[in-house]
Structure formats: C-alpha cells, structure tokens
Amino acid sequence: MTHTHHTGHHTGPADPLAGLPYADRVRTVTTAQALGWLRAGWADLRASGWVSLAYGALFVAIGFALTGGLVLAGMAYLIAPMIGAFLLIAPLLALGLYRISKDVEEGRRPSLWRALTAWRANPYHILTAGLILMLYVMIWARMNVVAFALFFPHEAIALDHFVAQMFSLDGLVFTVFITALGFAFAAFAFITNVTALPMMMDRPVDVFAAALASAMAVLRNPRVMALWAGLIVLVTGAGLLTGFLGLIVALPLVGHASWHAYRDLIKEDEEG
C-alpha cells in the first residue's frame, strides 16, 4: 500500500515560522487530512489482521495488572493519575503500531515480534525518549500527591477520603486545579511527541530533533492539530470508558492513525 503525500506550501516571506529550526521540514495539513488519518489507521488495523489487536490486548492486560496491583496495595487513589500517566506515555507504547503501519505501507506482512522490538530501529534515542517520558510521568504523579496534601492537609491519602472530599467546595477547587494541571501536562506532551516517536523509529534522528520537528508541526497547523488531539482523546476516552477493553481496538487505531499523521506532517529527508 503506498501512502500519498499531500503538499501544502507557504509562499514567500509570509511564513511566520521561517528561520525556526525544522520549520522547513513540516507540511501544512487540512482538517480533511486529520479525519483521513483515522480512516487510514482503520485500514491498517484491518490489514494487519490479529497482530494489531494482540498488541493492543497486551497493553490492556498490563493496564489491568497495574490497576489490580494498586487496589490490592491499598493505593486505589493512584488509579486516576496512572490513567493520566498512561495517556502521557502512549506515544512510546504505540511504537510497535508505527512499525506495523510501516510494514503495511511497504507491503510486508506485519509481525508481532517486529512490532514488540520496534525500538531496535533507533535504540539509544528511543530509550532516551522513554526515560524522559518516565521522568515526566513521575513528576505528574508526584504533583498529584503534593496538590492533594496542599488542598487537604489533614486528610490521609486514601480513596474513601478522596471521594468524601470530592463534593466539598475544596474538593471542587481541587478537581478544577488537577484538571488544569493535567491539561497543561498533556498539551506539552502532545506538542513535543505528536510526530516524534514515529519519526525516531523511521529515521536516525535524536530525541531533541524529533521533539522540535513535532513542535513545529503543531505550530504550523494549530487548528488541525487541536482537532487531532481532540480526536485522540475521544477515541482513547471511549476505550477507557468500556473498562479498558475498548482500548484493544482504540490503542491500535490511534497508533496507526498517528503514523499517517507523521507521514503527512513531516517531509521526507530528500524533500526540500
């Protein structure tokens, strides 16, 4: 299956991003293309047979194990931050799905083993990206705990205390604060990661170059990328609402679609 590239050109000196690093490496895209990424992702999901679903199921199983572990350890209050953390590191988890999409694109039969070892395409830089994302997630989890301690200094951190406080005025303020904080964390992760991991798997770029190119893609297409972020949240949210089971399909769908987003947004190295 060959992927068609769409071109969008900024003419002359009117380009507001001219002169910024990697600005000349990203294309302008349309709303229709963003919707097309989901369609292309669905086509890849179907073309890959059981491989994509097995990949999705594996991560759902890990999610169940982590959730169960937190409940058994009496740390159920960490489930919501963990779901937030999962969304932050999702681009890394989807690495194998980009590999499957690339296989489909090149007419190769997708393989679960190749998907699970996709990091080997650029191991050092992908590992670095993983460590940065893990650090980011640890900061996110820590800020949740710190915020709870600040808002409810006399409450023990436990799920029943947490639920009891939720409907008080302090609880509502806390909810708004954590939601805003989560949004800021997610926005930064999206801007720096939307094309970074597929790019690092596809070509020998380092984590900073990939994050810069990703940020330029968002700056070049703010409206379309806001729509794309919304679509990702919608599909992933639907998967989460089914008690994680829907993620068996939602995760591969978003992962494959993200590969097509990368293909449309970032120019080939040969292109000027």
Side-chain angles (χ1 to χ4, degrees), residues 101-143:
S101 279
K102 191 177 182 181
D103 283 350
V104 170
E105 189 180 281
E106 293 172 351
R108 195 184 289 125
R109 189 183 194 69
S111 114
L112 187 59
W113 176 247
R114 240 195 335 272
L116 293 171
T117 55
W119 54 273
R120 295 196 303 192
N122 190 356
Y124 176 76
H125 296 304
I126 287 171
L127 184 66
T128 307
L131 290 172
I132 291 170
L133 278 169
M134 288 299 177
L135 181 65
Y136 195 60
V137 162
M138 284 162 71
I139 294 168
W140 158 247
R142 175 56 48 193
M143 286 185 83

Side-chain angles (χ1 to χ4, degrees), residues 11-158:
T11 50
D15 181 2
L17 302 183
L20 288 174
Y22 285 89
D24 58 335
R25 313 289 306 126
V26 299
R27 297 195 192 92
T28 308
V29 291
T30 63
T31 306
Q33 276 170 272
L35 296 169
W37 298 334
L38 276 179
R39 278 197 299 276
W42 182 250
D44 284 359
L45 184 58
R46 292 181 61 183
S48 71
W50 61 272
V51 177
S52 288
L53 293 176
Y55 191 91
L58 186 66
F59 285 99
V60 171
I62 293 168
F64 274 126
L66 284 173
T67 306
L70 288 173
V71 171
L72 290 173
M75 297 162 78
Y77 59 87
L78 279 178
I79 291 172
M82 276 293 297
I83 290 172
F86 163 77
L87 295 176
L88 292 177
I89 61 164
L92 186 68
L93 300 180
L95 205 62
L97 297 163
Y98 314 142
R99 175 75 255 180
I100 292 167
S101 279
K102 191 177 182 181
D103 283 350
V104 170
E105 189 180 281
E106 293 172 351
R108 195 184 289 125
R109 189 183 194 69
S111 114
L112 187 59
W113 176 247
R114 240 195 335 272
L116 293 171
T117 55
W119 54 273
R120 295 196 303 192
N122 190 356
Y124 176 76
H125 296 304
I126 287 171
L127 184 66
T128 307
L131 290 172
I132 291 170
L133 278 169
M134 288 299 177
L135 181 65
Y136 195 60
V137 162
M138 284 162 71
I139 294 168
W140 158 247
R142 175 56 48 193
M143 286 185 83
N144 271 271
V145 174
V146 169
F148 187 85
L150 287 173
F151 276 87
F152 310 112
H154 309 297
E155 291 288 341
I157 297 184

